[in-house]
Amino acid sequence: MLGDADPVRPDGMEAGPQAMFDYVYQRTNPAGLVREYWYHGAGCHAWLVVERDTRTHAVNGVKTARDVTLARQRGGR
Amino acid sequence: MARMRLWPRDLRQASLRYSAFKIFTEALRGNRGWQPVWREPEPKPSYDVIIVGGGGHGLATAYYLAKNHGLTNVAVLEKGYLASGNVGRNTTIIRSNYLLPGNIPFYEHSMKLWEGLEQDLNYNAMVSQRGVLNLYHSDAQRDAYARRGNAMRMHGVDAELLDRDGVKALVPFLDFDNARFPIQGGLIQRRGGTARHDAVAWGYARGADQRGVDLIQNCEVTGIRIERGRVVGVETTRGYIGARKVGLAVAGNSSRLAAMAGLRLPIDSHVLQAFVTEGLKPVIDIVMTFGAGHFYVSQSDKGGLVFGGDIDGYNSYAQRGNLPVIEDVMEGAMAVWPGLGRVRLLRHWGGIMDMSMDGSPIIDRTPVEGLYLNAGWCYGGFKATPASGFCFAHLIARDDMHPVASGYRLDRFASGAVIDEKGVGAQANLH
């Protein structure tokens, strides 16, 4: 488990210290739905983005991290 | 003579004081004279200070606000019942065997408060300085423990490096010749040990209540009211309550409360499990930690062996964990103490930890004036309870950080002055 999958690493050449601090240290840490990176070590060895509820541990859905990243790039982010 | 006169308040205090004499006289009177340990007051419209969170740290803060700083127009707001969170869910260990300068003075201050706690509170917290032993299993680990022990001794904390025979004299039943994790020795802090966790909260609650602090249970904070950058009160399930100052001591839920004030924190919430076995006759009279995996054990006065291990590793507010960590803890137990295979596990439970980004806590002001933060205790909060309350009260009363807690600043992540005892960086589930 690597943590929250939503933050996007700022461009180190462009971003200021505040943006890097926000990315590296600050967390939203919600009680509710989160999207987070999991590594499927016991199976296909893929990185996944799992949507999960932190109050119940219920898993709502899983996508491969690759698909999520490609979709994000196509969305212009 | 004036000093002989007993005022009504003094009389109440005298009648509430616990002693062997009181037990004796109550026994003669059929135990009809015992009074409730604290009042159940209705919330007042406003207070000088509101502490959010009726756990160990919040209650200790209220106690020291009243005792050390004379602030008694104080309320502690608790969403459930007092001590219903982590102060009643931990593995009761107290110690000050830290490595880094930002940590050692703070935890040693806590250790010294533990040593005088029961006399101070007039309450039996069952503080037992039975010793905390950390095993080492390799040359490299011995060197690391020697370094830690030296750092402790340079700060005036007791530490002793034991060789294999020294460990064998204490806990002869361990698997010393385990092929993968042979026991080479251990680092022991003899002043460390355990305390009865609930009693610590109850003792602080009683002490705060007797000094006039209102302990308000079943009162969940649902909003923090801020006007022109300054906190003015809190919205609760029992209505709005005004306050000049508000202190958050809600570890596990710090991010949620901070979000009510528009703040984001360098904290992830994680679940940590603990375990207790069926009751046994006395078998282990120290706290022992396995150095090659996540497992530690002590024996409670009821006879149950209390086990602890690692956090589950994923964000959670559920107060319950999953089987892989249970298996991991039991594997650690079997590796170091094979005899445990004959013991049955009785219960296990989970609590929610504030895992900070450097593994160390935060006791500081926030960008909102009058709003103070006590958070980020990871899984080391219980042993810190006295010093945490002591230093948080100091901060709230004087608007000045206590010297032993001066490293626990909220801005240390931005400034780079992190206190990363484990050296793993900003990955909360690795601390």
Side-chain angles (χ1 to χ4, degrees), chain B residues 173 276-281 283 295 303 305 307 330 333-346:
Chain B
F173 42 77
V276 67
T277 71
E278 58 189 333
L280 304 174
K281 288 187 177 178
V283 286
F295 169 74
L305 296 175
F307 299 167
M330 300 313 142
M334 290 302 291
V336 68
W337 186 355
L340 287 177
R342 301 286 295 278
V343 182
R344 282 170 297 189
L345 200 65
L346 196 63

Side-chain angles (χ1 to χ4, degrees), chain B residues 395-416:
Chain B
L395 173 72
I396 292 170
R398 302 191 183 186
D399 256 309
D400 183 26
M401 298 185 92
H402 190 280
V404 300
S406 59
Y408 297 150
R409 296 172 60 106
L410 179 57
D411 69 1
R412 69 176 184 266
F413 302 93
S415 70

Side-chain angles (χ1 to χ4, degrees), chain B residues 33 147 302 308 363 413:
Chain B
R147 179 180 173 223
K302 276 197 297 188
I363 303 177
F413 302 93

